[in-house]
Amino acid sequence: MTGVPPDVPGLFDERGEIVVDHECKKCGYNLRGLREDGRCPECGTPIGLSTTGDLLRFADPEWVEKVARGLKIILWMILVGLIAGILGVLAGATISEEAGTVLMFVVGLISFYGVWLMTEPDPSGIGEDPNITARKVIRITLVVGLLSSPLQLAVDALDLPYAGVVLVGIAGVLVILVGLVGEFAKFIYYERLAKRIPDDSLAGRARFLKWGFTIALGLVAVGGGIAAIVAATAPATATAPAAPAAGPPPALALLGCLAIPVGLAVVLALLVFSVMTLFLLLRLRKAIAQQANLARTTWAAALGDGAMPA
Ligand SMILES: [Zn+2]
């Protein structure tokens, strides 16, 4: 392809031995003190494959393929969700609400599997900070999101006292916050993957959407929450006997008039950022699938060279 890949600078001493802690890209074994022409004592992978930097094309091809496959599943589930949503609107009441809920739960489960595949750890340990990583944050928030939906159904079925309703409301807000953190972490992860392609334009797009998409989503969630509270309290005031000089106070009326255009603008922004995220994922999946092919070629060549024991 592009000749001999460059080694990580400062990795070897003058005798050709690895002088720093450096992990095997296949199994994570510490290769310190070993030579580049040797093999990993743990898994037998040629050490030369592990000294070529962080780019995906030099990473374990099986892992890169898993990431690409995860992204593909996520994209398909977005498509299925969109089609189901549009059909649901068009078909109206022909599909029962329960069937819709079940379908969305199945789509959610398959997406869960896709995100899990996408966030499999790189066996080399690259990208694993000593502290918590974006990858782990995505997984934790994913589990919280998945657990919250059956809990929500169970809570809806119960007839809770007022205090219970408030607690459930607080829990719901926390679940939404956790979800926002998860979305933010996903874009950090996309940016890191893009840098390992390396593709600065994709990385920049991920960095932009990390803020744009997450903030728009957060505002829509807050706006939806306020609208729900207003809707829940409105009947109480409406049923009260109307005084002659009824009607909302002018300040509130003004706020209500402003809420509609601002709300529309935020929803529009979220739509635009969602479409941008979709294209980001399409480009990222394509690029990572290409990197997986390059990695497979690199590793096949190296494994083939070393197939004959000296
Ligand atoms: Zn190894």
Side-chain angles (χ1 to χ4, degrees), residues 24 26-29 40 42-45:
C24 168
K26 184 73 191 171
C27 72
Y29 183 85
C40 169
E42 191 70 21
C43 71
T45 300

Side-chain angles (χ1 to χ4, degrees), residues 240-280:
L252 260 185
L254 182 68
L255 211 63
C257 290
L258 273 177
I260 292 168
V262 169
L264 276 178
V266 170
V267 169
L268 192 66
L270 181 61
L271 267 177
V272 170
F273 292 149
S274 300
V275 171
M276 284 172 75
T277 302
L278 192 62
F279 278 100
L280 168 74

Side-chain angles (χ1 to χ4, degrees), residues 32-77:
R32 186 176 192 144
L34 297 168
R35 296 180 57 84
E36 186 168 27
D37 51 10
R39 280 172 175 271
C40 169
E42 191 70 21
C43 71
T45 300
I47 287 172
L49 278 173
S50 295
T51 58
T52 45
D54 291 358
L55 294 183
L56 292 177
R57 75 190 63 167
F58 306 128
D60 175 11
E62 282 178 31
W63 172 72
V64 186
E65 272 168 14
K66 265 187 205 165
V67 175
R69 205 161 355 117
L71 275 166
K72 194 181 208 170
I73 293 171
I74 294 167
L75 281 162
W76 272 108
M77 287 308 109

